[in-house]
Each structure stands twice: as structure tokens, then as C-alpha cells.
Amino acid sequence: MEYIVSARKYRPMSFDTVVGQNALTTTLKNAVKSGKLAHAYLFCGPRGVGKTTCARIFAKAINCEHPSGEGEACNNCESCKAFNEQRSYNIFELDAASNNSVENIKTLMEQTRIPPQIGKYKVFIIDEVHMLSTQAFNAFLKTLEEPPAHVIFILATTEKHKILPTIISRCQIYDFERMTVPNIISHLKAVAEKEHITYEEEALNIIAEKADGGMRDALSIFDQAVSFCQGDITYKKVIEDLNVLDSENYFNIIDLSLANKVSDVMVLLNNIITKGFDGGHLISGLAKHVRNVMMAKDPQTLPLLETSQQQREKYQEQAQRCPNKFLYQALKVMNDCDINYRQSSNKRLLVELTLIEIAQITQEDDSVSAGRRPRRLKSLFQKIKAHVQSKAVVQGAAGQRVTTDHPTANDGQAPVMSSPTPIAQPTTKEKPTHRLKLKSIGHSFSNMRNEEKVVYKKEEDVSIQDKEVFTEDQLIMQWTAMCNRMPQQMAGISSRMRNIIPTITEFPAIEVKVDNEILLKEINSIKNRIRSTLVQYLKNKDIVLNIRLAEGQELSKALTRKEMFEEMLTSNHAISKLQSELGLELM
């Protein structure tokens, strides 16, 4: 007997056997029952969800001579038999992916003029209709606008946005949904029972998740798993065949992180990478796992879990041990890692730092929390500073002259030390301590989060009462550093601000000249934030920020690479000599 793949063998032949599209199939059956049929339908949705299948079932039901009371085809009349035996002259299918020219559409339109020999309607199913060329769409438009009474068009596509609006406006639109994991598992169970194949529900869950909402993909993966497992589908064999990371690794990472066992997490990560799994794949899978744990924590969000009942119970069990704060912070850290993974030069280090940070979220306040500096580190330095200052005062007092007033012989009181004249101590200007954040390693400066950009706390570390003097070099340095710390959503304005050189007009007034009105408007919208940053880092509360549009004579011409090179040759004789001796040319 010839082997037929499951996707073809178990293709639905009636509306009742279509999986996961109850609302659409009910609408189509009611249209058949009432006889209220439109002249054009558009079936759109992701791949493998039943668009073409429903189009064929609908076309057969339309021409059925004795439809059932539910709107289903009888499968006994001549029209139904002709369709089932693939010899129907009333139902035409066109693959627009390979027949997308104007000539193909014109040929199809000529067939619409001939009325059906058997049945009421001629049904034209055009699959992948978005592949038609613009000229073909225009040729099709006139017939679609005023079709003959005996013609019905059913268009199917996965990319609705590529179809001309004039076409869409003339069709009834049916949006097919992605298959849910429970629906796929239920259908795979039915197929396995018909094929006398034993299975584990967790294995079917892996297949359903791998299919990503497509029933055809799920059946294809199912056939692959059956071939590998020789009729006995087990969880271990399926993850080995599909090269899927075992979900137990995710459960173990979360349990170890709750126990702050960083070393064990690093060993587990190394074992995963050794097996050939990518670090980015691990982070995305772990983020999905943490999201599922969060959904399992509340009975209201439990239905949002697209997984098997056995997996759902495991998520619920782990959710009881996970604090909400841990889940929120872990998701935030993994999202940042996912954003910066592609541009990181050391991807494994970025993944390791992310897992270290997750494993330290639940540590106590006195320890290194979430990969940041100890929270009591500042108070510790304050104590050391106070101790050094007190020691310096004692040493200064020891070098002073001490005079004593000797009492008389009859006076039994102890000698009294006279108050020494205070000696002015030289004041030393303390330099701010540069703090390096471990969290920023592996991240680009332009993508740093807002909370990472604050190096000093306003109330404690920076005295806004200061009126320190700063130079233009210091101003330019802090201006550039501010642009580098701006968040990712402000990357456009930060890159343009780097090209601006602020100047000091009358200290502490700062002038910023902008070369166009659009940039001037954008910078003025964040002027107060810019001034606050400069006040904080230049330690001068009297800073006045003036932003204006540069005048014509103040604008300098942007030089090309060739002009810059020629200017270098003119101003530097050594470069000119080097070019002539080596025969250098600007490429």
C-alpha cells in the first residue's frame, strides 16, 4: 500500500473535522444553509491552519445537491462524488505562486463566462493570491467587481497586507487563527490512536510547541518523530530527534537561582552549551519559562498557558516557590540580554553575567545583589573617611604647643591644658570616585538602561550647592558622556548631539549652536534634563544653558573624505612626503 503522510491522510473532509476554527466554520455552514452567499471570499492567516482545506469544503458544500440541515455536504450526490474523485468541472484551483501573470488570469476569467453544467455555481479557488503581479490584480479586478451570478471566488493568502485594497474591499474577509497547543495535542492523540502508536503526552506537547500554531507542521513533525521512535513516541526521544532543550534545564536554573547557587548554574550552563545549544536560545527559552511560571501563579492567568496538563502542574508547583519580585526582575534582565545579544562581542560572557544576576536577585541586602555593588559599600567608605579625618585632626593637635598652669602647693587640683590655637589645615579637593558597574559589561553604552546611567545620587554624592569652576574641555567631556548614556529610544538625537561642541560664553553660561530648526526643537524638548545632567556632573548649580540656531557664517561646510585628505596633505608636510614616497591613494 502506498504511504500517505498524515497531513494529507487526515486532511479534514467536512466542516466538523476542521480543528480550531469553530467560529469560521459555523459562519460558512450558516451561509450554505441560508443560501446567502457572497461573490468573493478572502481566507487569510498563518500557514497550516486550514485555509485551503476550508475553501475546498466550502466549495463542495455550495454545489451539493442535498446539503444537510447543518450546512454540510452530503457526499452522495453527483457533485460531491465528482469533487471527491477530483473530476469536478465546477471547482477550479489556481496556484498564484506559479501562475501569476496576466495571461493566466485572463484564461481564468474566460472560463467564468461558461455556466456550470452540474450544480449552481462555478467556484474558483486562488491559493497564495498575494503572489499575483500588479498587472494580474488589475486584470482580475473588473471581473471581481461585477462577476457573473454563477461565479464565486475564494482567495487564500498568508500575507494579507500584500493584496491591493481594491481587491480586499470587494471580499468577505475571514481571519484564521493560529492553532493552540491543546488543540494540536488533542488532534495528534486522535491520529496516534488511529495509527496504533503509543505516546507520552509530554512528547506531544513538545511537537505542538515546535509547530508554532500550524497543524500541518505539527503532523509533519509527528511523522518524523514516529519514524525516529519506531512507533513509541517518548519525551526523551522527541527532544533528541528535534534537538530541543529539555525543559527540566529551565526548572533547574530557576530552582538554583532561588537558592543563590551561582556555581551550579554556571556548571549547568556549560553542560548546555557543550551539547551544542546556543546561549541566546537558552535565554529566550528561559524567559518563556519564567513567563509561564508567572502565568501559573494566578488562577486568572492560568488559562494563558499553552501547554499540557502535566506541564501546567509543574509550573504551578514552581510558581509557589517564586516571589513576584524575582520573576519580574528576572524577565527584565533576560529581556535586556536578548536585546544586546546580537551586538555583544563576547556572547557567552553576556549570558553568564545574566544568569549570575538572576541567581543573585534573592540575596540579602548586605550581600552583592543582582550583580551590582554591595548596598552598604557607601556607608563603609564613609566610616573609613571619618576615621581618617579624625586621625588627621589628632596628629595635627599633637604637633601644637601645650602650656600648663601649675597650681600652688596647697592646690590639689590637676594641671589644666590651655586651649591650643587652631592651625589652619590645607583643604584638599576630593575627587569623585569612579564606579564601574559589572552589569554594563557586554552591553553597548547606547543601550544602557536609565537606572544604569545614574552614577551618583543627587542627595548624597553630589553637592548641588557647589559652584565649581569648569573648563571647556571638561564641558565637552561631560557633554559627550551624556550623549553616550542616553537611552536606545533616543539614539537618533544623541548621535546628532555628539556632533555639537558646546562653548562657555560668560561663565557659567553655556551656549549650544544647532544647525537646523528640527534638531533645535528636539533639543529644546529635553533642555531641562540636559541642564540637570550638566549641573550634576560639573557641580555647578548656576549653569545657564542657551540653545540657539546657528547663523549662516557660523556654519562650517561638511568636508568629504577627499577634501579632508587634501587638507591634511596641505597642512602636514610629513603626510605629503609619505604619500609621494609610497604612492598612496585615497580609495
Side-chain angles (χ1 to χ4, degrees), residues 235-263:
Y235 176 77
K236 290 185 178 180
K237 289 182 179 180
V238 167
I239 62 174
E240 180 184 355
D241 180 36
L242 302 180
N243 195 29
V244 176
L245 186 59
D246 191 354
S247 61
E248 284 299 322
N249 291 297
Y250 302 134
F251 284 100
N252 292 337
I253 290 176
I254 297 302
D255 289 337
L256 294 174
S257 298
L258 291 173
N260 307 129
K261 296 182 179 179
V262 178
S263 301

PDB file of all heavy atoms in Angstrom, residues 235-263:
ATOM      1  N   TYR A 235       9.219  11.175  25.412  1.00  0.00           N
ATOM      2  CA  TYR A 235       9.706  12.556  25.577  1.00  0.00           C
ATOM      3  C   TYR A 235      11.196  12.653  25.269  1.00  0.00           C
ATOM      4  O   TYR A 235      11.637  13.538  24.526  1.00  0.00           O
ATOM      5  CB  TYR A 235       9.424  13.004  27.011  1.00  0.00           C
ATOM      6  CG  TYR A 235       9.960  14.376  27.337  1.00  0.00           C
ATOM      7  CD1 TYR A 235       9.311  15.524  26.890  1.00  0.00           C
ATOM      8  CD2 TYR A 235      11.125  14.530  28.091  1.00  0.00           C
ATOM      9  CE1 TYR A 235       9.802  16.789  27.183  1.00  0.00           C
ATOM     10  CE2 TYR A 235      11.617  15.790  28.388  1.00  0.00           C
ATOM     11  CZ  TYR A 235      10.958  16.916  27.932  1.00  0.00           C
ATOM     12  OH  TYR A 235      11.453  18.158  28.216  1.00  0.00           O
ATOM     13  N   LYS A 236      11.989  11.738  25.781  1.00  0.00           N
ATOM     14  CA  LYS A 236      13.447  11.804  25.591  1.00  0.00           C
ATOM     15  C   LYS A 236      13.827  11.635  24.121  1.00  0.00           C
ATOM     16  O   LYS A 236      14.716  12.321  23.611  1.00  0.00           O
ATOM     17  CB  LYS A 236      14.129  10.728  26.441  1.00  0.00           C
ATOM     18  CG  LYS A 236      14.056  11.002  27.935  1.00  0.00           C
ATOM     19  CD  LYS A 236      14.845   9.965  28.725  1.00  0.00           C
ATOM     20  CE  LYS A 236      14.816  10.281  30.213  1.00  0.00           C
ATOM     21  NZ  LYS A 236      15.592   9.284  30.997  1.00  0.00           N
ATOM     22  N   LYS A 237      13.142  10.731  23.433  1.00  0.00           N
ATOM     23  CA  LYS A 237      13.472  10.511  22.018  1.00  0.00           C
ATOM     24  C   LYS A 237      13.062  11.712  21.163  1.00  0.00           C
ATOM     25  O   LYS A 237      13.757  12.060  20.203  1.00  0.00           O
ATOM     26  CB  LYS A 237      12.777   9.241  21.519  1.00  0.00           C
ATOM     27  CG  LYS A 237      13.362   7.957  22.097  1.00  0.00           C
ATOM     28  CD  LYS A 237      12.672   6.740  21.519  1.00  0.00           C
ATOM     29  CE  LYS A 237      13.269   5.457  22.078  1.00  0.00           C
ATOM     30  NZ  LYS A 237      12.598   4.255  21.523  1.00  0.00           N
ATOM     31  N   VAL A 238      11.954  12.365  21.524  1.00  0.00           N
ATOM     32  CA  VAL A 238      11.485  13.508  20.733  1.00  0.00           C
ATOM     33  C   VAL A 238      12.443  14.684  20.868  1.00  0.00           C
ATOM     34  O   VAL A 238      12.802  15.331  19.876  1.00  0.00           O
ATOM     35  CB  VAL A 238      10.051  13.901  21.154  1.00  0.00           C
ATOM     36  CG1 VAL A 238       9.668  15.254  20.576  1.00  0.00           C
ATOM     37  CG2 VAL A 238       9.060  12.855  20.670  1.00  0.00           C
ATOM     38  N   ILE A 239      12.895  14.988  22.096  1.00  0.00           N
ATOM     39  CA  ILE A 239      13.811  16.128  22.253  1.00  0.00           C
ATOM     40  C   ILE A 239      15.164  15.821  21.619  1.00  0.00           C
ATOM     41  O   ILE A 239      15.866  16.727  21.159  1.00  0.00           O
ATOM     42  CB  ILE A 239      13.980  16.498  23.747  1.00  0.00           C
ATOM     43  CG1 ILE A 239      14.595  15.345  24.537  1.00  0.00           C
ATOM     44  CG2 ILE A 239      12.670  16.939  24.341  1.00  0.00           C
ATOM     45  CD1 ILE A 239      14.916  15.710  25.975  1.00  0.00           C
ATOM     46  N   GLU A 240      15.513  14.526  21.570  1.00  0.00           N
ATOM     47  CA  GLU A 240      16.756  14.162  20.888  1.00  0.00           C
ATOM     48  C   GLU A 240      16.608  14.297  19.372  1.00  0.00           C
ATOM     49  O   GLU A 240      17.505  14.801  18.686  1.00  0.00           O
ATOM     50  CB  GLU A 240      17.140  12.723  21.253  1.00  0.00           C
ATOM     51  CG  GLU A 240      18.413  12.251  20.592  1.00  0.00           C
ATOM     52  CD  GLU A 240      18.719  10.799  20.900  1.00  0.00           C
ATOM     53  OE1 GLU A 240      17.986  10.192  21.716  1.00  0.00           O
ATOM     54  OE2 GLU A 240      19.691  10.260  20.321  1.00  0.00           O
ATOM     55  N   ASP A 241      15.465  13.889  18.857  1.00  0.00           N
ATOM     56  CA  ASP A 241      15.236  13.944  17.408  1.00  0.00           C
ATOM     57  C   ASP A 241      15.095  15.390  16.920  1.00  0.00           C
ATOM     58  O   ASP A 241      15.646  15.759  15.881  1.00  0.00           O
ATOM     59  CB  ASP A 241      13.976  13.146  17.071  1.00  0.00           C
ATOM     60  CG  ASP A 241      13.674  13.158  15.585  1.00  0.00           C
ATOM     61  OD1 ASP A 241      14.631  13.129  14.788  1.00  0.00           O
ATOM     62  OD2 ASP A 241      12.480  13.202  15.217  1.00  0.00           O
ATOM     63  N   LEU A 242      14.394  16.221  17.678  1.00  0.00           N
ATOM     64  CA  LEU A 242      14.137  17.596  17.262  1.00  0.00           C
ATOM     65  C   LEU A 242      15.198  18.569  17.754  1.00  0.00           C
ATOM     66  O   LEU A 242      15.120  19.762  17.448  1.00  0.00           O
ATOM     67  CB  LEU A 242      12.761  18.049  17.774  1.00  0.00           C
ATOM     68  CG  LEU A 242      11.561  17.212  17.325  1.00  0.00           C
ATOM     69  CD1 LEU A 242      10.277  17.773  17.889  1.00  0.00           C
ATOM     70  CD2 LEU A 242      11.486  17.132  15.809  1.00  0.00           C
ATOM     71  N   ASN A 243      16.180  18.068  18.518  1.00  0.00           N
ATOM     72  CA  ASN A 243      17.244  18.912  19.062  1.00  0.00           C
ATOM     73  C   ASN A 243      16.651  20.067  19.874  1.00  0.00           C
ATOM     74  O   ASN A 243      16.991  21.237  19.696  1.00  0.00           O
ATOM     75  CB  ASN A 243      18.130  19.457  17.944  1.00  0.00           C
ATOM     76  CG  ASN A 243      19.445  20.018  18.485  1.00  0.00           C
ATOM     77  OD1 ASN A 243      19.939  19.572  19.521  1.00  0.00           O
ATOM     78  ND2 ASN A 243      19.999  21.000  17.811  1.00  0.00           N
ATOM     79  N   VAL A 244      15.751  19.717  20.780  1.00  0.00           N
ATOM     80  CA  VAL A 244      15.085  20.691  21.646  1.00  0.00           C
ATOM     81  C   VAL A 244      15.699  20.606  23.036  1.00  0.00           C
ATOM     82  O   VAL A 244      15.985  19.503  23.529  1.00  0.00           O
ATOM     83  CB  VAL A 244      13.566  20.422  21.714  1.00  0.00           C
ATOM     84  CG1 VAL A 244      12.885  21.362  22.691  1.00  0.00           C
ATOM     85  CG2 VAL A 244      12.957  20.559  20.328  1.00  0.00           C
ATOM     86  N   LEU A 245      15.929  21.757  23.657  1.00  0.00           N
ATOM     87  CA  LEU A 245      16.485  21.782  25.001  1.00  0.00           C
ATOM     88  C   LEU A 245      15.443  21.291  25.996  1.00  0.00           C
ATOM     89  O   LEU A 245      14.306  21.771  26.008  1.00  0.00           O
ATOM     90  CB  LEU A 245      16.938  23.206  25.356  1.00  0.00           C
ATOM     91  CG  LEU A 245      17.665  23.392  26.683  1.00  0.00           C
ATOM     92  CD1 LEU A 245      18.921  22.539  26.722  1.00  0.00           C
ATOM     93  CD2 LEU A 245      18.016  24.848  26.894  1.00  0.00           C
ATOM     94  N   ASP A 246      15.838  20.346  26.825  1.00  0.00           N
ATOM     95  CA  ASP A 246      14.930  19.760  27.811  1.00  0.00           C
ATOM     96  C   ASP A 246      14.420  20.850  28.759  1.00  0.00           C
ATOM     97  O   ASP A 246      15.202  21.635  29.302  1.00  0.00           O
ATOM     98  CB  ASP A 246      15.668  18.671  28.587  1.00  0.00           C
ATOM     99  CG  ASP A 246      14.725  17.844  29.446  1.00  0.00           C
ATOM    100  OD1 ASP A 246      13.532  18.198  29.512  1.00  0.00           O
ATOM    101  OD2 ASP A 246      15.182  16.849  30.051  1.00  0.00           O
ATOM    102  N   SER A 247      13.112  20.878  28.971  1.00  0.00           N
ATOM    103  CA  SER A 247      12.537  21.900  29.851  1.00  0.00           C
ATOM    104  C   SER A 247      12.974  21.739  31.298  1.00  0.00           C
ATOM    105  O   SER A 247      12.883  22.681  32.095  1.00  0.00           O
ATOM    106  CB  SER A 247      11.002  21.853  29.768  1.00  0.00           C
ATOM    107  OG  SER A 247      10.515  20.592  30.189  1.00  0.00           O
ATOM    108  N   GLU A 248      13.475  20.555  31.658  1.00  0.00           N
ATOM    109  CA  GLU A 248      13.974  20.358  33.017  1.00  0.00           C
ATOM    110  C   GLU A 248      15.143  21.294  33.315  1.00  0.00           C
ATOM    111  O   GLU A 248      15.364  21.677  34.465  1.00  0.00           O
ATOM    112  CB  GLU A 248      14.397  18.897  33.214  1.00  0.00           C
ATOM    113  CG  GLU A 248      13.250  17.927  33.380  1.00  0.00           C
ATOM    114  CD  GLU A 248      12.394  18.229  34.601  1.00  0.00           C
ATOM    115  OE1 GLU A 248      12.959  18.613  35.642  1.00  0.00           O
ATOM    116  OE2 GLU A 248      11.158  18.115  34.498  1.00  0.00           O
ATOM    117  N   ASN A 249      15.906  21.654  32.285  1.00  0.00           N
ATOM    118  CA  ASN A 249      17.011  22.591  32.495  1.00  0.00           C
ATOM    119  C   ASN A 249      16.501  23.945  32.973  1.00  0.00           C
ATOM    120  O   ASN A 249      17.120  24.574  33.839  1.00  0.00           O
ATOM    121  CB  ASN A 249      17.799  22.770  31.195  1.00  0.00           C
ATOM    122  CG  ASN A 249      18.560  21.528  30.809  1.00  0.00           C
ATOM    123  OD1 ASN A 249      19.449  21.077  31.516  1.00  0.00           O
ATOM    124  ND2 ASN A 249      18.212  20.953  29.664  1.00  0.00           N
ATOM    125  N   TYR A 250      15.381  24.387  32.437  1.00  0.00           N
ATOM    126  CA  TYR A 250      14.810  25.655  32.864  1.00  0.00           C
ATOM    127  C   TYR A 250      14.325  25.585  34.312  1.00  0.00           C
ATOM    128  O   TYR A 250      14.560  26.517  35.099  1.00  0.00           O
ATOM    129  CB  TYR A 250      13.664  26.058  31.943  1.00  0.00           C
ATOM    130  CG  TYR A 250      14.043  26.199  30.494  1.00  0.00           C
ATOM    131  CD1 TYR A 250      13.268  25.658  29.470  1.00  0.00           C
ATOM    132  CD2 TYR A 250      15.200  26.884  30.134  1.00  0.00           C
ATOM    133  CE1 TYR A 250      13.619  25.805  28.139  1.00  0.00           C
ATOM    134  CE2 TYR A 250      15.561  27.029  28.799  1.00  0.00           C
ATOM    135  CZ  TYR A 250      14.770  26.484  27.812  1.00  0.00           C
ATOM    136  OH  TYR A 250      15.130  26.625  26.493  1.00  0.00           O
ATOM    137  N   PHE A 251      13.651  24.499  34.650  1.00  0.00           N
ATOM    138  CA  PHE A 251      13.204  24.332  36.037  1.00  0.00           C
ATOM    139  C   PHE A 251      14.399  24.311  36.987  1.00  0.00           C
ATOM    140  O   PHE A 251      14.353  24.922  38.065  1.00  0.00           O
ATOM    141  CB  PHE A 251      12.396  23.035  36.176  1.00  0.00           C
ATOM    142  CG  PHE A 251      10.998  23.115  35.620  1.00  0.00           C
ATOM    143  CD1 PHE A 251      10.705  22.598  34.377  1.00  0.00           C
ATOM    144  CD2 PHE A 251       9.980  23.718  36.340  1.00  0.00           C
ATOM    145  CE1 PHE A 251       9.418  22.667  33.856  1.00  0.00           C
ATOM    146  CE2 PHE A 251       8.692  23.800  35.832  1.00  0.00           C
ATOM    147  CZ  PHE A 251       8.415  23.272  34.587  1.00  0.00           C
ATOM    148  N   ASN A 252      15.485  23.625  36.596  1.00  0.00           N
ATOM    149  CA  ASN A 252      16.670  23.541  37.462  1.00  0.00           C
ATOM    150  C   ASN A 252      17.334  24.897  37.623  1.00  0.00           C
ATOM    151  O   ASN A 252      17.792  25.246  38.721  1.00  0.00           O
ATOM    152  CB  ASN A 252      17.665  22.530  36.884  1.00  0.00           C
ATOM    153  CG  ASN A 252      17.147  21.109  36.950  1.00  0.00           C
ATOM    154  OD1 ASN A 252      16.289  20.799  37.773  1.00  0.00           O
ATOM    155  ND2 ASN A 252      17.653  20.235  36.091  1.00  0.00           N
ATOM    156  N   ILE A 253      17.427  25.683  36.535  1.00  0.00           N
ATOM    157  CA  ILE A 253      18.067  27.003  36.632  1.00  0.00           C
ATOM    158  C   ILE A 253      17.304  27.899  37.595  1.00  0.00           C
ATOM    159  O   ILE A 253      17.906  28.609  38.424  1.00  0.00           O
ATOM    160  CB  ILE A 253      18.161  27.650  35.232  1.00  0.00           C
ATOM    161  CG1 ILE A 253      19.187  26.909  34.373  1.00  0.00           C
ATOM    162  CG2 ILE A 253      18.552  29.128  35.348  1.00  0.00           C
ATOM    163  CD1 ILE A 253      19.272  27.421  32.949  1.00  0.00           C
ATOM    164  N   ILE A 254      15.984  27.886  37.537  1.00  0.00           N
ATOM    165  CA  ILE A 254      15.191  28.723  38.443  1.00  0.00           C
ATOM    166  C   ILE A 254      15.344  28.250  39.880  1.00  0.00           C
ATOM    167  O   ILE A 254      15.503  29.061  40.806  1.00  0.00           O
ATOM    168  CB  ILE A 254      13.712  28.716  38.013  1.00  0.00           C
ATOM    169  CG1 ILE A 254      13.563  29.336  36.610  1.00  0.00           C
ATOM    170  CG2 ILE A 254      12.861  29.475  39.017  1.00  0.00           C
ATOM    171  CD1 ILE A 254      14.083  30.739  36.491  1.00  0.00           C
ATOM    172  N   ASP A 255      15.324  26.935  40.107  1.00  0.00           N
ATOM    173  CA  ASP A 255      15.496  26.434  41.473  1.00  0.00           C
ATOM    174  C   ASP A 255      16.866  26.800  42.034  1.00  0.00           C
ATOM    175  O   ASP A 255      16.984  27.205  43.199  1.00  0.00           O
ATOM    176  CB  ASP A 255      15.313  24.910  41.492  1.00  0.00           C
ATOM    177  CG  ASP A 255      13.856  24.504  41.265  1.00  0.00           C
ATOM    178  OD1 ASP A 255      12.969  25.342  41.527  1.00  0.00           O
ATOM    179  OD2 ASP A 255      13.620  23.373  40.806  1.00  0.00           O
ATOM    180  N   LEU A 256      17.917  26.668  41.226  1.00  0.00           N
ATOM    181  CA  LEU A 256      19.263  27.022  41.683  1.00  0.00           C
ATOM    182  C   LEU A 256      19.384  28.529  41.905  1.00  0.00           C
ATOM    183  O   LEU A 256      20.091  28.968  42.827  1.00  0.00           O
ATOM    184  CB  LEU A 256      20.301  26.553  40.656  1.00  0.00           C
ATOM    185  CG  LEU A 256      20.441  25.034  40.468  1.00  0.00           C
ATOM    186  CD1 LEU A 256      21.387  24.721  39.322  1.00  0.00           C
ATOM    187  CD2 LEU A 256      20.959  24.393  41.756  1.00  0.00           C
ATOM    188  N   SER A 257      18.713  29.326  41.098  1.00  0.00           N
ATOM    189  CA  SER A 257      18.765  30.775  41.273  1.00  0.00           C
ATOM    190  C   SER A 257      18.071  31.203  42.548  1.00  0.00           C
ATOM    191  O   SER A 257      18.526  32.123  43.240  1.00  0.00           O
ATOM    192  CB  SER A 257      18.126  31.472  40.067  1.00  0.00           C
ATOM    193  OG  SER A 257      18.823  31.182  38.874  1.00  0.00           O
ATOM    194  N   LEU A 258      16.968  30.540  42.886  1.00  0.00           N
ATOM    195  CA  LEU A 258      16.286  30.861  44.136  1.00  0.00           C
ATOM    196  C   LEU A 258      17.160  30.535  45.340  1.00  0.00           C
ATOM    197  O   LEU A 258      17.073  31.202  46.378  1.00  0.00           O
ATOM    198  CB  LEU A 258      14.964  30.094  44.226  1.00  0.00           C
ATOM    199  CG  LEU A 258      13.861  30.524  43.253  1.00  0.00           C
ATOM    200  CD1 LEU A 258      12.685  29.570  43.327  1.00  0.00           C
ATOM    201  CD2 LEU A 258      13.403  31.944  43.552  1.00  0.00           C
ATOM    202  N   ALA A 259      18.014  29.508  45.195  1.00  0.00           N
ATOM    203  CA  ALA A 259      18.931  29.134  46.271  1.00  0.00           C
ATOM    204  C   ALA A 259      20.260  29.879  46.194  1.00  0.00           C
ATOM    205  O   ALA A 259      21.158  29.619  46.997  1.00  0.00           O
ATOM    206  CB  ALA A 259      19.179  27.623  46.249  1.00  0.00           C
ATOM    207  N   ASN A 260      20.418  30.802  45.228  1.00  0.00           N
ATOM    208  CA  ASN A 260      21.645  31.610  45.046  1.00  0.00           C
ATOM    209  C   ASN A 260      22.875  30.741  44.804  1.00  0.00           C
ATOM    210  O   ASN A 260      23.990  31.103  45.197  1.00  0.00           O
ATOM    211  CB  ASN A 260      21.881  32.513  46.260  1.00  0.00           C
ATOM    212  CG  ASN A 260      20.678  33.364  46.607  1.00  0.00           C
ATOM    213  OD1 ASN A 260      20.236  33.396  47.745  1.00  0.00           O
ATOM    214  ND2 ASN A 260      20.110  34.046  45.617  1.00  0.00           N
ATOM    215  N   LYS A 261      22.691  29.615  44.105  1.00  0.00           N
ATOM    216  CA  LYS A 261      23.814  28.729  43.807  1.00  0.00           C
ATOM    217  C   LYS A 261      24.380  29.078  42.433  1.00  0.00           C
ATOM    218  O   LYS A 261      24.083  28.448  41.414  1.00  0.00           O
ATOM    219  CB  LYS A 261      23.359  27.263  43.850  1.00  0.00           C
ATOM    220  CG  LYS A 261      22.898  26.819  45.238  1.00  0.00           C
ATOM    221  CD  LYS A 261      22.491  25.352  45.249  1.00  0.00           C
ATOM    222  CE  LYS A 261      22.058  24.915  46.635  1.00  0.00           C
ATOM    223  NZ  LYS A 261      21.634  23.480  46.663  1.00  0.00           N
ATOM    224  N   VAL A 262      25.213  30.115  42.424  1.00  0.00           N
ATOM    225  CA  VAL A 262      25.752  30.633  41.161  1.00  0.00           C
ATOM    226  C   VAL A 262      26.650  29.603  40.494  1.00  0.00           C
ATOM    227  O   VAL A 262      26.607  29.409  39.274  1.00  0.00           O
ATOM    228  CB  VAL A 262      26.514  31.948  41.413  1.00  0.00           C
ATOM    229  CG1 VAL A 262      27.125  32.465  40.118  1.00  0.00           C
ATOM    230  CG2 VAL A 262      25.593  32.994  42.018  1.00  0.00           C
ATOM    231  N   SER A 263      27.480  28.924  41.278  1.00  0.00           N
ATOM    232  CA  SER A 263      28.423  27.949  40.702  1.00  0.00           C
ATOM    233  C   SER A 263      27.693  26.821  39.995  1.00  0.00           C
ATOM    234  O   SER A 263      28.074  26.401  38.895  1.00  0.00           O
ATOM    235  CB  SER A 263      29.327  27.386  41.805  1.00  0.00           C
ATOM    236  OG  SER A 263      30.053  28.416  42.443  1.00  0.00           O
TER     237      SER A 263
END
